Amino acid sequence: QVQVQESGGGLVQAGGSLRLSCAASGRTFNRYAVGWFRQAPGKEREFVAFITWGAVIVYYADSVKGRFTISRDNADNTVSLQMNSLKPEDTAVYYCANPGTTGWGPPQYWGHGSQVTVSS
């Protein structure tokens, strides 16, 4: 089983940047796709981005395209989400997710989440 843990959230002003990291323990996940989701207060969890094994395919939600960048470091068994030009509407708990497959699919493993708050 894969356990994933997010880190790097916090409070930032609009227009600022934050970097989230997702680390795995248990079975290595460097051969699996990894994605990020977020959930704002009172809203459903929504997809943000994913990256496949080998970083062959990356995909972003329209709401973050051009501002967020997902990347992976297989040597460190981590996946990062660089978030630039943050907006108040980006405020949410961000979750790392792993479908347990090389390509993207319904997540099987979830982290506990990391809070990102963007002030106006």
Side-chain angles (χ1 to χ4, degrees):
Q1 186 171 348
V2 177
Q3 292 84 42
V4 294
Q5 179 64 55
E6 306 87 348
S7 62
L11 173 65
V12 66
Q13 288 188 332
S17 299
L18 282 174
R19 186 178 182 89
L20 297 176
S21 290
C22 176
S25 60
R27 288 168 54 193
T28 181
F29 75 177
N30 64 9
R31 286 193 172 270
Y32 298 119
V34 178
W36 289 93
F37 288 73
R38 65 186 182 185
Q39 187 167 18
K43 295 187 177 181
E44 293 188 353
R45 190 172 297 187
E46 65 174 5
F47 166 79
V48 175
F50 78 77
I51 186 168
T52 58
W53 170 64
V56 174
I57 299 173
V58 294
Y59 189 83
Y60 300 93
D62 287 343
S63 58
V64 305
K65 200 174 294 182
R67 300 188 298 120
F68 290 12
T69 303
I70 189 170
S71 61
R72 67 190 306 158
D73 183 339
N74 287 339
D76 284 343
N77 213 24
T78 58
V79 171
S80 297
L81 185 69
Q82 177 67 41
M83 304 183 293
N84 299 328
S85 302
L86 283 161
K87 305 174 182 180
E89 50 264 44
D90 293 317
T91 295
V93 178
Y94 283 71
Y95 297 89
C96 178
N98 174 15
T101 55
T102 56
W104 186 243
Q108 300 274 341
Y109 308 104
W110 294 89
H112 293 295
S114 181
Q115 177 69 48
V116 171
T117 303
V118 185
S119 62
S120 57

